[in-house]
Amino acid sequence: MKPYVVAIDGPAGAGKSTLAKRLAKELGIAYIDTGAMYRACALYAIESGINPKVDSPELRSLLETAEIDFRTVKEEQKIFLNDIDVSREIREPHISTGASDISALPFVRDMLVTMQRNLAKGKSVLMDGRDIGTNVFPDAQVKVFLTADVAERANRRFLELQEKGDPSTYEQVLHEMTARDEQDKNREYAPLRQAEDAYLLDTTQMNLEESFQALFQYTAKKLQHLD
Ligand code: DC
C-alpha cells in the first residue's frame, strides 16, 4: 500500500489524542499530535516573557530558534523543545489558552504546517489537530471530524484534571473550553472546521471503547479501497 494520511480534527476534549494514538498503533503508522506543536511554541513564548497573542519581531526571532521534535521514550511519545522534554508542561491550562492564541497567527501556522508536511514525507501518518483535513492534508485518504457536546467534553477534561490533582472546577474547565473553541472556530486563518468529505463522529453518547470501535471501523473500511 502507498503511504497514506489519516486526518482527525475536532474541538478540544473530544478524545482525539487518546483515540488517535490507539488507532495509529493498531494501524502500525506514525502518530503526530499537531496540538502539541502549537503548545510547545506557546510554552516557549510564555516562558520567555513574550506575548503569544501578538505577531511581534520578538516572537518571530524567538520561534526561529525553536527546535521541535517528537521522540519515543520508554514506548511513549514525547515532545522535545530545544532538546528538553516538555510533554508535561505543555498540558497546563494556561498553555492551552496560549496555544489557541499563538495558533491564530498566520506566520506560526505556516511554520508548523511546513513542519507537519515534512514529518509525513514518504510514510503513512495519522495526524490530529484542527485543520489537518481542510488545510494541512486536504487530500488525506481518511478524514474524521471527532466531536461531542461541550458539556460532555468539559466533564471528561475535568475528570482527567482531577485525577492529576489539578484544582480546577468544572465551571472553570467549561469556561476555558468554550472560549478556546470559539477562538479556534472564529480565527481568520485555517479555522477549526469539518472538511466536506470528513466523517462526522459524535461521541457524546459513547464511551471510549465504543468511540474507538466506530473510528476503527470507518478507517478500516476506507483503507480497504486503497491500493
Ligand atoms: O489539540 P490541542 O488541545 O492540544 O491544541 C491546542 C491548541 O492548538 C488549540 O486550541 C488550537 C491549536 N491547534 C491548531 O490551531 N491547529 C492544529 N492543527 C492543532 C492545534
Side-chain angles (χ1 to χ4, degrees):
M1 199 190 275
K2 281 192 217 130
Y4 61 88
V5 174
V6 178
I8 302 184
D9 291 301
K16 284 192 308 288
S17 57
T18 311
L19 294 169
K21 230 181 267 174
R22 186 169 158 199
L23 182 61
K25 204 167 175 192
E26 196 87 22
L27 298 172
I29 65 175
Y31 165 58
I32 297 161
D33 173 359
T34 63
M37 300 168 82
Y38 289 94
R39 286 172 179 272
C41 290
L43 177 76
Y44 198 20
I46 291 167
E47 280 192 340
S48 309
I50 295 174
N51 187 348
K53 228 181 155 115
V54 180
D55 182 347
S56 64
E58 292 76 21
L59 185 62
R60 282 182 182 249
S61 51
L62 181 82
L63 292 187
E64 268 171 28
T65 68
E67 270 191 41
I68 296 170
D69 61 301
F70 291 99
R71 300 182 199 168
T72 306
V73 181
K74 293 188 189 142
E75 288 188 38
E76 261 196 63
Q77 196 184 74
K78 302 281 183 192
I79 184 160
F80 282 69
L81 171 66
N82 296 338
D83 259 345
I84 297 169
D85 182 356
V86 291
S87 312
R88 207 163 39 86
E89 289 86 339
I90 61 163
R91 298 290 157 201
E92 284 175 20
H94 72 291
I95 303 298
S96 303
T97 304
S100 180
D101 290 341
I102 213 164
S103 74
L105 302 179
F107 90 89
V108 176
R109 301 203 71 81
D110 288 346
M111 179 184 102
L112 292 185
V113 168
T114 303
M115 243 186 241
Q116 289 154 12
R117 290 187 182 139
N118 283 335
L119 284 170
K121 278 214 174 113
K123 61 176 183 198
S124 295
V125 296
L126 188 157
M127 229 177 244
D128 77 4
R130 302 290 186 289
D131 63 335
I132 311 304
T134 51
N135 181 44
V136 184
F137 289 108
D139 297 327
Q141 286 79 355
V142 184
K143 293 186 190 180
V144 178
F145 193 81
L146 195 69
T147 190
D149 285 354
V150 68
E152 175 60 22
R153 290 188 281 116
N155 191 45
R156 290 178 193 169
R157 178 59 54 86
F158 168 66
L159 295 174
E160 228 173 70
L161 288 170
Q162 253 196 340
E163 234 173 67
K164 286 187 203 157
D166 187 292
S168 306
T169 63
Y170 170 75
E171 283 69 27
Q172 283 168 331
V173 176
L174 178 65
H175 180 265
E176 184 267 325
M177 201 169 259
T178 309
R180 199 143 71 88
D181 280 357
E182 285 307 303
Q183 182 158 294
D184 294 346
K185 274 194 284 198
N186 293 317
R187 67 174 175 235
E188 246 170 70
Y189 201 59
L192 165 66
R193 191 164 57 73
Q194 181 183 347
E196 271 174 25
D197 52 350
Y199 168 61
L200 176 67
L201 180 55
D202 184 328
T203 68
T204 309
Q205 308 288 343
M206 296 180 191
N207 63 28
L208 207 57
E209 191 54 35
E210 290 163 339
S211 308
F212 180 74
Q213 290 309 328
L215 177 65
F216 182 72
Q217 274 166 26
Y218 175 75
T219 306
K221 205 165 78 196
K222 288 294 272 188
L223 293 179
Q224 255 181 11
H225 301 292
L226 300 182
D227 33 59

